[in-house]
């Protein structure tokens, strides 16, 4: 049995601990921490090369192997017999102590996100690792190899910071690095992080693995990373993790007049889709009771991992018509959980510090999208006829747990149609990774006139030597799974061989193999743009659930060769027709295509200061004890709007004006220096998101507004320059050093880095040790929640 639900590779040497027998197998565990999937792709490549190039047996690699999906601390716990042996040696002075053999070997791939932060898939594990109560020898039996991913463009301090921090902490807890850390740079020529990965694998990791396993498999020299076509054929011999059978044909399926709702909402399929969707839940997502009140989870009670169901009630464009960017303001009423049938004992949160709210300002909504019907139909059209004819049959999909590690997807619904699975579960709109192309190479039918040639092309595209070709074909031209199947038509070929003889055996690509290859749809994260207090006060008392708002920039464009492309989730949300109805708590209101699946979890701004000044200290400009400065550009305004409106809602509530809206122009006492917003966009008349709100708040002296419209004048004006020039360069230093203010930055990574550099420079000009003291001060503010950056690429 493979422990921990990780990718495990069994390795053993021919010589035992005492030289008189075989040593116990050395368990190799492969884990990744990723935000966009890059670290996971590196892990997949490493495991394949370990298996195929070094001849090491493995159960493969699959979904659910992120750090937060395993009990990471248990990897360092020693077996009872090991502890007993060590105790006996300590009690008997004459006994010859044995040199401890490290029994666990970790291979880890760790990405850095935001402001040199850990990614969302390791945050829970990282919090546990930082506990001061952990023993210093917790990982004394563990060796590790770590490949860190980053971008040197963000400076030496931020480059691969998450991986470097993790390695340092593991060493503090007794683990030993088996080889030097690997560093993957997005900007490396000829392959980016994958080029750096291959250098590290061949120069550092493989020699270590060969040393421990060389006698067993007889490897005499470092393996080459070159891969031949024969490896693709060898993959066909693997046991498949899925077995697909038709339960009812399309002719036997009755629609029952329910074609107006998606398949995942239909009663006969609901529980199976729900089980599949649960695997996409973020590790830190909130728990809710039946009344949709936020709760804490009782020990020993399974959590409710099912998504919440929300109905889109507002979906409007907030950029000017004809402008190149279509950005939407979307309001969602969350009314129930997909798994409301199950009884869930829970403990209500205390009503302190906003814990009675359904979410907090600055939180994140994670939305699970579906594919458009047109794409599903196109993908079906490029599949082999034997698979295409199953499109509307009811299928039973049996999962073989022993071989489930060979997949890169979550367990598919046990009962569904192929069309439904491709619409709601399989990410056919994503760009196939290089390892996906390698796996597809085995499915090229050799009976096709170009079958062998297309197989070789797919393998070439998967290798680092073909990085430029992969970049041109997949990355720059945005080719998704349907495009690849269309271009490589031997994947769907089921005809006769070239010499006219009938093709022998089953076609290489079957429904079972297809489901083993396709990735699951990954949920997308959107910073919530609304104030929970404000929206809660605006709803009537008899309504169940709560509202939230998103600011979504629709991804849509044209490739260099004129191919159109669109973002999966942003396009999905943009096309939803709002459904606003007073009977919000009726179950039918949460059926139909206006219903979205989502979770809510904490974001980067979880410690928003809300304490008012003590009586007697308030004046015409201040109400809160801690002023807040928000700096952002583009859709980075979303979490900042949530923070500003939440503070305004709290102020109005405390002043007895809870029903007033922060954007209605109502003037009350205090507030003009409480909140400062530095916001940038291209043109005031085109993409000034929520500009009317900011102008009204500024006019009523409840917001200090610093604008940066980059294309409204001859010279470019970005937020970092506007921040630098505000109050003749004194604004940011005065805000932090004299007023003790908080600073929150949100937007693109390059903008966030430039803004942080400006802050460091401004503070350094006033502090004794310059930038050194400035960085220390920001780190201190970061620890107490008064400085935070939420950045994305």
């Amino acid at each position: 049995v493979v422990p921990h639900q990780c990718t495990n590779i069994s390795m053993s040497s021919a010589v035992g601990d005492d030289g008189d027998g075989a040593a116990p197998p050395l368990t190799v565990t492969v884990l990744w921490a990723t935000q966009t999937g890059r670290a996971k792709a590196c892990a997949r490549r490493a495991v394949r090369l370990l298996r195929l190039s070094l001849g090491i047996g493995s159960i493969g690699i699959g979904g659910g192997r992120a750090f937060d999906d395993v009990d990471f601390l248990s990897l360092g716990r020693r077996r009872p017999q090991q502890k007993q042996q060590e105790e006996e040696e300590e009690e008997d002075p004459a006994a010859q102590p044995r040199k401890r053999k490290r029994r666990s070997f970790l291979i880890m791939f760790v990405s850095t996100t935001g402001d040199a932060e850990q990614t969302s898939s390791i945050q829970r594990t990282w919090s546990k690792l930082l506990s001061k109560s952990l023993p210093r020898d917790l990982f004394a039996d563990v060796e590790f190899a770590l490949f860190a991913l980053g971008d040197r463009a963000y400076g030496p301090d931020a480059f691969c910071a998450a991986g470097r921090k993790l390695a340092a902490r593991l060493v503090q807890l007794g683990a030993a690095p088996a080889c030097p850390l690997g560093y993957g740079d997005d900007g490396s020529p000829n392959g980016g992080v994958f080029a750096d990965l291959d250098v590290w694998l061949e120069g550092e990791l493989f020699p270590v693995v060969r040393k421990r396993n060389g006698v067993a498999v007889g490897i005499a020299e470092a393996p080459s990373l070159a891969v031949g076509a024969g490896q693709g054929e060898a993959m066909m011999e693997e046991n498949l993790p899925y077995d697909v059978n038709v339960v009812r044909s399309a002719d036997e399926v009755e629609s029952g007049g329910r074609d107006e709702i998606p398949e995942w909402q239909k009663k006969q399929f609901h529980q199976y889709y729900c089980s599949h969707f649960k695997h996409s839940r973020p590790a830190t997502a909130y728990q809710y009771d039946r009344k949709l009140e936020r709760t804490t989870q009782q020990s020993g009670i399974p959590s409710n991992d099912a998504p919440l169901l929300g109905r889109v009630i507002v979906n409007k464009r907030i950029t000017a018509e004809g402008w190149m960017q279509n950005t939407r303001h979307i309001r969602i009423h969350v009314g129930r959980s997909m798994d409301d049938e199950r009884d869930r004992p829970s403990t209500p949160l205390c009503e302190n510090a906003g814990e009675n709210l359904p979410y907090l300002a600055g939180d994140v909504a994670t939305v699970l999208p579906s594919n458009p019907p047109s794409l599903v139909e196109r993908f079906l059209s490029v599949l082999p006829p034997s698979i295409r004819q199953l499109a509307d049959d009811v299928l039973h999909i049996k999962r073989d747990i022993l071989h489930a590690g060979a997949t890169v997807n979550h367990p598919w619904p046990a009962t569904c149609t192929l069309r439904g699975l491709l619409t709601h579960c399989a990410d056919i709109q994503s760009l196939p990774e290089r390892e996906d192309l390698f796996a597809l190479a085995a499915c090229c039918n050799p009976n096709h006139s170009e079958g062998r040639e297309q197989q070789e092309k797919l393998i070439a595209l998967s290798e680092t030597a073909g990085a430029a070709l992969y970049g041109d074909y997949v990355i720059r031209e945005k080719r998704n799974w349907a495009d690849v199947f269309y271009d490589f038509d031997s994947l769907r070929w089921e005809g006769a061989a070239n010499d006219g003889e009938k093709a022998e055996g089953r076609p290489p690509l079957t429904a079972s193999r297809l489901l083993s290859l396709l990735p699951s749809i990954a949920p997308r994260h959107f910073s919530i743009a609304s104030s929970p207090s404000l929206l809660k006060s605006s709803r009537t008392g008899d309504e169940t659930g709560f509202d939230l708002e998103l600011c979504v920039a629709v991804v849509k464009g044209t490739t260099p060769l004129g191919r159109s492309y669109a973002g999966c989730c942003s396009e999905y949300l943009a096309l939803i027709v709002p459904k606003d109805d007073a009977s919000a708590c009726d179950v039918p209101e949460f059926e139909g295509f206006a219903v979205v699946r989502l979770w809510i979890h904490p974001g980067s701004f979880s410690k928003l200061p809300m304490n008012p000044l003590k009586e007697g200290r308030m004046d015409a400009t201040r109400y809160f004890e801690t002023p807040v400065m928000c700096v952002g550009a583009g859709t980075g305004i979303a979490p900042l709007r949530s923070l500003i409106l939440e503070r305004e809602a709290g102020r109005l509530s405390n002043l007895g004006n809870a029903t007033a809206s922060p954007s209605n122009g109502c003037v009350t006492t205090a507030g003009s220096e409480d909140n400062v917003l530095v916001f940038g966009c291209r043109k005031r008349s085109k993409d000034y998101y929520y500009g009317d709100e900011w102008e009204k708040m500024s006019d009523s002296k409840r917001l200090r507004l610093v604008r940066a419209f980059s294309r409204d004048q001859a010279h470019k004006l970005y937020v970092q320059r506007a921040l630098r020039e505000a109050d003749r360069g004194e604004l940011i230093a005065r805000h932090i050093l004299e007023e003790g203010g908080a600073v929150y930055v949100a937007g693109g990574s390059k903008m966030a880095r430039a803004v942080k550099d400006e802050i460091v420079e401004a503070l350094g000009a006033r502090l004794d040790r310059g930038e050194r003291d400035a960085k220390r001060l920001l780190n201190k503010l970061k620890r107490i929640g008064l400085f935070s950056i939420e950045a994305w690429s």
Side-chain angles (χ1 to χ4, degrees), residues 591-661:
E591 292 183 355
F593 294 95
V595 176
V596 297
R597 298 148 291 169
L598 72 156
W599 297 266
I600 301 174
H601 60 94
S604 303
F605 310 125
S606 58
K607 298 180 180 179
L608 178 67
M610 294 290 292
N611 293 331
L613 284 167
K614 295 180 180 179
E615 291 186 13
R617 294 182 59 194
M618 294 183 188
D619 56 30
T621 63
R622 289 283 299 276
Y623 172 82
F624 289 102
E625 181 179 347
T626 304
V628 165
M629 177 181 291
C630 296
V631 185
T635 53
I637 195 61
L640 306 181
R641 179 176 184 261
S642 176
L643 302 180
I644 293 172
L645 295 190
E646 183 66 10
R647 288 190 21 121
E648 273 298 284
R651 182 177 67 87
L652 294 172
S653 176
N654 291 336
L655 293 174
N657 193 23
T659 58
S661 168

Side-chain angles (χ1 to χ4, degrees), residues 276 280 408-412 425-428 430 518-524:
H276 171 78
S280 296
V408 292
N409 46 49
H410 301 318
W412 300 121
C425 304
D427 199 358
I428 57 177
S430 64
L518 292 175
S520 301
I521 292 179
R524 271 61 167 184

Side-chain angles (χ1 to χ4, degrees), residues 16 23 26 45 143 196 236 253-254 256 300 324 484 590 620 718 748 781:
L26 181 66
R45 178 169 179 78
E143 281 185 291
D196 297 329
M236 296 297 297
V253 178
E254 297 181 3
M324 57 182 177
V484 172
F590 290 94
Y718 297 115
L781 295 176

